[in-house]
Amino acid sequence: MSNTVKAPGGQPELTQGDVIRLLATDAAARPYVLATLAALAMIFVVLFMSGSDLGGIIVVLFGAAAMALRWTAAPPFLLLVIAYFQLFPFGVPDPGSENPYQVRESHFQVTDMVLVMAILVYLRGQYRLFGLVHQIVPPDSALKRKGDVPVRRPTAHIRPDELAWMLAVAGALVLIGQAVWWLVNALEFVPMESGVPFRWADTRSLRAFSRDQPPGEFRPGQNRFFVLLGILFFGTLLVRLVFGYWRLRVMNASEGAMVLADTSWSESHRERVRLEKWRVWGRRRASERAEAAAQDAQRREKEAARKRAAEEERAARKRPKRARRDDQK
């Protein structure tokens, strides 16, 4: 007898056995399962090479359990575990001194690139699997009603080239991140100089790592902060301009009309609201005047009717007297 629970719409809720069978036997989901497990294996190899075999075992066991048991909060926690064992490979904080060149020379290293690539593949593959076995879109309302079932992604919707695109995007992000990190460490923030407040850093000198800096110079951590801030600001501006123009270029006539209507509304909605209020006020005033005129006309009609009734009553009272006078004559 199956333990599958039917939802009101007919969609079955997956039990734990159904999840295991889907991950193990479904041909469309198998590439994501293998990619996620391979990413966990690569993370274990990198942590093991850095002397953190305990961290690698914890990451592999915890990641595999999260994939099988649908722990949606596991990926962020796994990132914290990896970061901790990267700082403290043996699991215990090391009170030894740090090498000041360690951070500057850590760009485009194979172990760093492999670790970041494995983490990106794991995160993307894990969340794709969550969409297949748990939920793909957020619920319609914040309050869950009785009988509501999370909407899952059907495995038939998985395209054959999805995994290749996922790996390509992860590799591109790794290269872009390494290039940005190299640029951040290769520049110095010098606000006292005229013109561009950046210059190429001299990594051969230990003066950059001393505690007492000359006026207008900063330590490597401060330089990285200001350079990252500048890259984020100007990079966001450039990307916004490029992709905004590209979006306008590929837009069809209907989409352009919709954008123009939305822009027109956002720029003139206050004036339009004010005009609409005046129009509603004018209609209400006209209706009030019409109602008052109707009431006044009705009141005048009632007064005229009352006067006619009074005249008819007086005429009826005078008629018998005239009749008696005529009889006497």
Side-chain angles (χ1 to χ4, degrees):
M1 183 176 180
S2 176
N3 295 327
T4 303
V5 180
K6 291 290 184 179
Q11 184 182 10
E13 296 182 6
L14 295 181
T15 62
Q16 189 58 45
D18 296 333
V19 172
I20 300 298
R21 284 190 294 272
L22 187 146
L23 297 178
T25 61
D26 193 278
R30 190 178 301 121
Y32 285 116
V33 176
L34 296 178
T36 306
L37 293 177
L40 290 175
M42 293 305 301
I43 295 173
F44 170 78
V45 170
V46 174
L47 292 180
F48 182 79
M49 292 176 60
S50 63
S52 179
D53 50 353
L54 176 61
I57 294 174
I58 292 176
V59 167
V60 171
L61 294 179
F62 189 77
M67 180 177 59
L69 301 178
R70 294 178 290 182
W71 294 343
T72 56
F77 181 75
L78 198 66
L79 289 180
L80 295 178
V81 172
I82 295 173
Y84 178 82
F85 282 101
Q86 280 289 104
L87 294 175
F88 312 112
F90 300 101
V92 181
D94 186 9
S97 59
E98 297 180 356
N99 182 9
Y101 280 101
Q102 184 176 358
V103 176
R104 279 193 176 273
E105 297 177 356
S106 62
H107 48 267
F108 289 107
Q109 289 188 355
V110 177
T111 54
D112 294 340
M113 297 177 66
V114 171
L115 179 62
V116 176
M117 179 77 176
I119 291 174
L120 289 177
V121 172
Y122 164 74
L123 290 176
R124 300 192 69 185
Q126 181 66 88
Y127 281 111
R128 294 287 179 91
L129 292 177
F130 283 157
L132 296 175
V133 301
H134 179 63
Q135 187 174 358
I136 187 61
V137 294
D140 295 334
S141 61
L143 299 177
K144 184 178 180 180
R145 295 172 296 183
K146 185 178 180 181
D148 286 348
V149 179
V151 179
R152 299 186 306 274
R153 183 189 183 190
T155 56
H157 290 181
I158 299 178
R159 300 190 307 272
D161 58 344
E162 276 194 13
L163 185 61
W165 275 105
M166 186 184 75
L167 297 176
V169 171
L173 291 177
V174 169
L175 295 177
I176 292 173
Q178 290 291 320
V180 170
W181 186 245
W182 168 80
L183 183 62
V184 165
N185 287 284
L187 293 177
E188 285 186 353
F189 180 66
V190 188
M192 303 300 294
E193 294 186 359
S194 59
V196 180
F198 296 102
R199 70 183 181 189
W200 294 106
D202 185 11
T203 58
R204 298 172 297 176
S205 176
L206 288 174
R207 188 184 66 176
F209 301 97
S210 62
R211 293 184 178 274
D212 298 330
Q213 298 289 333
E217 295 188 4
F218 300 92
R219 289 191 292 272
Q222 298 171 338
N223 281 324
R224 284 191 289 270
F225 172 76
F226 288 114
V227 174
L228 274 176
L229 191 64
I231 290 176
L232 287 176
F233 175 77
F234 292 106
T236 303
L237 182 62
L238 179 62
V239 170
R240 177 67 180 86
L241 292 175
V242 171
F243 283 94
Y245 180 74
W246 175 76
R247 184 173 63 90
L248 294 177
R249 291 285 297 177
V250 300
M251 191 178 298
N252 56 32
S254 300
E255 293 173 346
M258 182 180 64
V259 171
L260 290 177
D262 184 69
T263 304
S264 175
W265 169 252
S266 63
E267 292 179 353
S268 61
H269 69 279
R270 294 181 181 274
E271 290 77 9
R272 294 188 181 188
V273 169
R274 189 179 297 112
L275 291 175
E276 187 68 18
K277 288 182 179 179
W278 288 348
R279 189 174 66 85
V280 172
W281 174 77
R283 286 186 174 182
R284 186 179 301 172
R285 184 178 180 183
S287 63
E288 290 177 354
R289 288 182 176 178
E291 185 178 357
Q295 292 178 357
D296 190 17
Q298 187 177 6
R299 185 173 59 255
R300 287 197 299 268
E301 290 179 359
K302 289 182 179 180
E303 290 290 338
R306 188 165 49 249
K307 289 180 179 179
R308 286 196 300 270
E311 290 177 358
E312 291 177 357
E313 185 177 357
R314 286 195 298 269
R317 290 177 181 176
K318 292 178 179 179
R319 191 177 299 112
K321 294 181 179 179
R322 291 178 181 177
R324 286 195 297 270
R325 290 174 183 174
D326 294 337
D327 293 340
Q328 289 176 1
K329 291 179 178 180

